[in-house]
């Protein structure tokens, strides 16, 4: 969550860039509900940030503000840092965060009791372990038998997210056993004074639907709601938008791309954004230029998607190149080829290319293992953003610790990052426990002292992390209602680099390097590459049976294709497709055939 006060001159200057693009300008000028639909690299995020700065300065009087909901914490950070360049510094009027954190911090924590949700007093957010225990107890009650209760976890989540309104008869008739399991699971959680991750938006929508005064209170605080990546945010957010914007009078500025919808398995559906954009009371603006990718990559990306959207690169844009790499043997051999030959070729062709400007994207984390092994043998450092990473990159606590490490390893001298930024990000992380100015000052003093004494890049990472955990983190997590899982992530990581762990401890400087990302090869799943951009992108493991998967339904194939498209459009200059020679993904074959037929 972030709060800001704006600086007019800076955003007016940034707005000049939008003037040359009449569609971006139209969105910038829109006065009512506006939906910005646009393809990759078209400047959605840029338009959104400049528009946010303008609305904050011109349309919303203090102390009222703007709520901006983004897909994940990574996207929230990206927006925050882009807003910072527009002179919008922390101050109190803007919420930026995920739909879960909006639901928890803006609706449930302040209003759950008065909104009549029937939650236990002083409820906490369940850790993964606590949620698993509640599911096991519910499973024993409703289903029984020797199977692993966790097998039900995905179905349970989808079922809960599908029915915002449990008054509908289908809630009871569609799958009565699953409904009974959901109810038993939620009862188990409540008996333990807990809510889980899915509960946050579901309970928030329920509270808003049942309480007109709550909708009024939200509109009073945030007369404008901005939403980024709308296509992936799911039914609960859509329910909130309908209630807050189209019945209670909040103004909406939503941004998204139906073709980049890749989270169908969580219950998100591109249809919701389409429906929103077709409303008569919404001004829908479509952006058509792709500023990121070379012109050949832009046209080939339409082959990747299998649709003709008419996207173009701006006049004078570089061309960009698409390379095909059919490989023989298994994935380990493909990974060796990638690391030992392909990357060297790229660096010869593009001298000065830093490893940090190259990304290897793959459909599943085990493929990342192959590339990581090959890279380690070759002496390349990597940053992984997938389920097999050393720690989850989405963890807000770990990202904050990376920043702290960067400060201790030279940031204190160079100002990158500034201490004030490190402190304010930390304060946001622990905001539940920092409720007044005195506590904020204590936090600032504690963080400054802890980091000042440990400005040494040769320190053992595990000693450094353990000290920060004990001095700064644990006392605050104990007081917070939603951070136990984050502490769990830190402890798991400390165990991995501890004496009995599977990874050797390493110096603080190396951990700080992970945060800075310089000269480290980016390894990421296609899903986690969303919203990012790199000079060179290597799509690895794009084989039939993997993308799309074997036995995929028609819907799954469509989503796999969009995922391929998302990966393809992360590249500025070069895109490389690495696949099994005798088993290329049908999407690779199609791009190749259509390029050859041009
Ligand atoms: N009007 C413009 N003039 C020049 N450059 C622009 C303009 N609009 C956007 N760009 C540049 O294009 C690139 C892509 O912009 P941005 O990241 O906002 O796109 P996006 O639509 O959010 O992309 P994606 O959906 O693929 O994540 C950025 O480097 C941005 O600075």
């Amino acid at each position: 969550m972030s709060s800001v006060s704006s600086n007019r001159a800076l955003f007016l200057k940034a707005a000049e860039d939008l003037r040359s693009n009449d569609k971006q300008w139209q969105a910038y000028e829109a006065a009512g509900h506006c939906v910005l639909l646009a393809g990759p690299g078209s400047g959605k995020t840029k338009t959104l940030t400049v528009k946010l700065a303008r609305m904050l300065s011109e349309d919303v009087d203090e102390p009222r503000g703007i709520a901006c909901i983004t897909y994940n914490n990574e996207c929230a950070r990206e927006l925050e840092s882009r807003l910072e360049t527009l002179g919008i510094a922390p101050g109190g009027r803007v919420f930026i965060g995920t739909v879960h954190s909006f639901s928890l911090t803006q609706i449930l924590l302040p209003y759950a009791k008065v909104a009549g949700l029937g939650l236990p007093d002083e409820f906490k957010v369940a850790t993964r372990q606590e949620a698993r225990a509640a599911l096991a107890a519910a499973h024993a009650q409703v289903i029984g038998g020797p199977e692993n209760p966790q097998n039900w976890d995905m179905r349970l989540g989808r079922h809960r997210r599908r029915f915002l309104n449990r008054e509908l008869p289908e809630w009871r008739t569609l799958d009565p056993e699953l409904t009974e399991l959901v109810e038993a699971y939620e009862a188990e959680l409540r008996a333990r004074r807990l809510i889980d991750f899915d509960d946050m938006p579901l309970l928030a929508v329920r509270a808003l639907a049942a309480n007109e005064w709550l909708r009024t209170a939200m509109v009073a605080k945030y007369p404008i709601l901005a939403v980024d990546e709308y296509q992936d945010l799911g039914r609960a957010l859509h329910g909130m938008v309908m209630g807050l914007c189209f019945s209670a009078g909040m103004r909406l500025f939503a941004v998204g791309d139906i073709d980049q919808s890749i989270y169908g398995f969580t219950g998100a559906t591109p249809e919701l954004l389409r429906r929103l954009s077709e409303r008569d009371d919404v001004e829908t603006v479509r952006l058509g230029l792709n500023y990121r990718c070379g012109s050949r990559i832009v046209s080939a990306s339409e082959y990747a998607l299998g649709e003709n959207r008419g996207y173009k690169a701006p006049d004078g844009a570089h061309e960009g190149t698409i390379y095909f790499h059919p490989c023989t043997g298994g994935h380990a051999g493909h990974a060796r080829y990638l690391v030992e030959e392909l990357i060297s070729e790229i660096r010869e062709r593009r001298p000065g290319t830093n490893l940090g400007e190259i990304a290897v994207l793959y459909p599943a984390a085990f493929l990342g293992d192959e590339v990581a092994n090959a890279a380690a043998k070759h002496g390349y450092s990597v940053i992984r953003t997938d389920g097999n990473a050393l720690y989850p990159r989405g963890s807000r606590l770990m990202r904050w610790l990376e920043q702290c490490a960067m400060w201790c390893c030279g940031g204190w001298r160079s100002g990158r990052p500034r201490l004030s930024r490190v402190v304010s990000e930390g304060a946001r992380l622990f905001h539940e426990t920092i409720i007044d100015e005195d506590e904020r000052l204590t936090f600032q003093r504690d963080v400054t002292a802890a980091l000042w004494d440990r400005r040494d890049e040769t320190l053992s990472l595990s000693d450094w992390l353990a000290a920060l955990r004990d001095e700064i983190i644990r006392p605050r997590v104990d007081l917070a209602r939603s951070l136990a899982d984050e502490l769990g992530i830190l402890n798991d990581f400390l165990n991995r680099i501890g004496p009995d762990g599977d990874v050797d401890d390493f110096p603080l400087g190396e951990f700080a390097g992970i945060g800075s990302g310089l000269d480290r090869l980016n390894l990421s799943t296609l899903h986690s590459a969303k919203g990012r951009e790199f000079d060179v992108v290597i799509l690895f493991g794009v084989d039939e049976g993997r993308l799309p998967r074997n036995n995929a339904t028609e819907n799954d194939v469509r989503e796999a294709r969009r995922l391929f498209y998302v990966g393809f459009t992360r590249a500025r200059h070069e895109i490389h497709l690495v696949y099994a020679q005798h088993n290329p993904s049908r999407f690779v074959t199609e791009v190749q055939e259509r390029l050859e037929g041009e």
Side-chain angles (χ1 to χ4, degrees):
M1 178 176 151
S2 143
S3 22
V4 297
S5 62
S6 84
N7 178 328
R8 217 178 138 73
L10 279 170
F11 86 75
L12 288 176
K13 188 160 172 281
E16 284 309 306
D17 280 350
L18 309 187
R19 205 184 273 278
S20 60
N21 180 322
D22 56 349
K23 294 294 179 189
Q24 289 181 347
W25 190 254
Q26 184 187 344
Y28 177 72
E29 292 278 70
H33 297 310
C34 180
V35 170
L36 186 58
L37 289 182
S42 56
K44 287 187 292 298
T45 316
K46 184 180 176 92
T47 310
L48 171 64
T49 45
V50 180
K51 176 82 178 171
L52 278 173
R54 176 183 193 173
M55 294 191 296
L56 201 58
S57 163
E58 296 179 358
D59 302 342
V60 180
D61 292 330
E62 278 192 71
R64 306 172 92 195
I66 297 180
C68 180
I69 295 183
T70 63
Y71 181 71
N72 58 23
N73 291 320
E74 197 72 14
C75 300
R77 279 174 67 104
E78 170 70 18
L79 268 189
E80 281 172 10
S81 62
R82 291 211 198 183
L83 281 171
E84 241 190 343
T85 65
L86 298 178
I88 297 184
R93 295 173 58 212
V94 170
F95 169 92
I96 297 178
T98 61
V99 67
H100 293 89
S101 92
F102 180 77
S103 304
L104 182 69
T105 65
Q106 306 299 303
I107 299 177
L108 298 181
L109 290 176
Y111 300 117
K113 207 164 183 177
V114 268
L117 288 173
L119 289 180
D121 287 351
E122 298 302 311
F123 64 88
K124 284 200 168 197
V125 177
T127 61
R128 267 171 296 178
Q129 213 176 355
E130 288 168 335
R132 266 200 292 272
L135 178 54
H139 181 272
Q141 225 172 294
V142 176
I143 297 178
E147 75 173 331
N148 181 353
Q150 289 311 307
N151 295 345
W152 288 77
D153 189 47
M154 287 276 274
R155 279 179 66 199
L156 184 98
R158 262 203 304 268
H159 197 58
R160 293 169 80 197
R161 292 188 289 269
R162 177 166 177 181
F163 287 97
L164 290 187
N165 177 2
R166 294 187 180 175
E167 303 296 314
L168 292 175
E170 290 81 358
W171 170 245
R172 300 248 154 249
T173 55
L174 189 74
D175 190 337
E177 189 182 44
L178 196 52
T179 294
E180 209 187 319
L181 183 64
V182 168
E183 289 177 343
Y185 167 69
E186 291 176 353
E188 283 293 333
L189 283 176
R190 303 302 178 260
R192 297 156 202 229
R193 297 182 171 276
L194 296 171
I195 65 168
D196 77 354
F197 199 62
D198 275 333
D199 270 322
M200 297 178 197
L202 294 177
L203 290 168
V205 177
R206 217 170 295 160
L208 286 168
N211 297 286
E212 195 186 342
W213 61 263
L214 181 54
R215 296 194 293 274
T216 310
M218 294 311 293
V219 178
K221 187 169 182 191
Y222 299 119
I224 297 179
L225 176 67
V227 184
D228 195 10
E229 308 270 15
Y230 199 97
Q231 74 281 357
D232 281 327
L233 282 160
R235 286 173 209 274
L237 183 269
H238 190 67
M240 278 185 220
V241 165
M242 288 298 128
L244 288 171
C245 302
F246 298 105
S247 107
M250 212 180 252
R251 179 174 146 201
L252 176 69
F253 188 80
V255 173
D257 182 5
I258 288 160
D259 295 332
Q260 292 188 65
S261 168
I262 53 174
Y263 282 94
F265 62 89
T266 68
T269 142
E271 201 42 44
L272 301 176
L273 176 57
R274 195 189 321 272
R275 260 190 257 151
L276 187 69
S277 69
E278 286 167 358
R279 287 179 67 103
D280 291 339
D281 49 359
V282 164
E283 179 174 356
T284 296
V285 181
R286 292 170 204 274
L287 304 181
L289 286 180
N290 179 334
Y291 292 91
R292 171 183 303 138
C293 311
S295 53
R296 282 186 61 74
I297 299 178
V298 175
S299 44
S301 74
E302 300 208 322
Y303 304 154
L305 180 66
E307 302 281 347
N308 188 1
R309 297 283 183 240
Y311 294 138
K312 301 249 170 329
D315 289 342
H318 61 276
E319 268 207 328
T321 319
I322 302 115
Y323 298 86
F324 294 85
H325 303 272
C327 295
T328 50
H331 286 127
H334 302 186
R336 267 198 310 279
Y337 162 74
L338 185 160
V339 167
E340 290 168 14
E341 295 181 41
L342 184 50
I343 291 183
S344 314
E345 268 172 42
I346 293 167
R347 295 178 107 184
E348 266 168 43
R349 192 170 41 242
R350 305 178 55 78
T353 297
N354 198 301
L355 281 183
E357 288 154 348
I358 304 176
V360 184
L361 313 180
Y362 34 81
F366 83 89
L367 293 162
D369 292 344
E370 301 289 6
V371 183
N373 288 340
K377 284 200 189 104
H378 199 73
Y380 285 155
S381 301
V382 303
I383 298 189
R384 286 186 75 163
T385 316
D386 65 31
N388 292 355
L390 261 183
Y391 51 82
R393 301 281 301 156
S395 158
R396 288 178 302 147
L397 176 61
M398 294 307 297
R399 297 305 297 264
W400 181 64
L401 287 166
E402 285 173 8
Q403 279 204 334
C404 293
M406 284 162 71
W407 190 84
C408 288
C409 296
W412 60 279
R413 224 186 273 120
S414 66
R416 284 190 303 271
R418 289 195 313 274
L419 182 62
S420 57
R421 173 91 201 244
V422 174
V423 170
S424 66
E425 290 239 347
R428 268 208 296 285
L429 181 62
F430 298 108
H431 68 92
E432 285 175 62
T433 64
I434 302 176
I435 47 180
D436 58 27
E437 198 46 33
D438 277 354
E439 281 172 16
R440 194 184 153 83
L441 285 173
T442 309
F443 180 74
Q444 180 171 349
R445 198 191 53 222
D446 291 353
V447 170
T448 309
L451 299 186
W452 185 261
D453 290 343
R454 298 185 177 85
R455 288 165 303 140
D456 179 353
E457 60 191 27
T458 63
L459 289 177
S460 132
L461 176 61
S462 71
D463 291 349
W464 183 89
L465 284 173
L468 257 63
R469 177 192 60 190
D470 298 342
E471 289 171 27
I472 307 282
I473 297 163
R474 191 156 28 210
R476 290 177 171 88
V477 169
D478 287 347
L479 295 173
R481 292 161 82 175
S482 67
L483 289 170
D485 247 353
E486 291 281 349
L487 180 59
I489 289 170
L490 172 58
N491 281 330
D492 287 348
F493 178 51
L494 273 165
N495 286 336
R496 290 194 70 179
I497 57 173
D500 301 324
D502 60 330
V503 182
D504 288 341
D505 191 10
F506 50 94
L508 182 62
E510 206 167 304
F511 181 63
I514 296 178
S516 77
L518 291 174
D519 217 24
R520 280 163 188 270
L521 185 62
N522 293 285
L523 305 190
S524 167
T525 52
L526 288 161
H527 279 101
S528 300
K530 179 190 175 81
R532 303 174 70 191
E533 54 185 25
F534 306 91
D535 282 353
V536 178
V537 167
I538 302 170
L539 298 188
F540 181 76
V542 275
D543 303 331
E544 193 65 16
R546 194 47 52 209
L547 199 73
R549 280 205 216 146
N550 287 325
N551 306 322
T553 62
E554 252 177 62
N555 234 345
D556 294 341
V557 172
R558 273 197 291 274
E559 184 149 313
R561 179 156 209 151
R562 293 195 293 262
L563 191 57
F564 180 65
Y565 173 69
V566 166
F568 206 93
T569 52
R570 301 304 97 201
R572 291 192 198 100
H573 295 282
E574 293 189 7
I575 172 101
H576 296 261
L577 304 169
V578 179
Y579 52 93
Q581 182 171 19
H582 298 298
N583 190 32
S585 159
R586 65 186 81 173
F587 310 137
V588 173
T589 309
E590 187 172 335
V591 171
Q592 190 163 28
E593 286 175 358
R594 293 187 65 176
L595 283 173
E596 282 166 5
E598 273 182 346

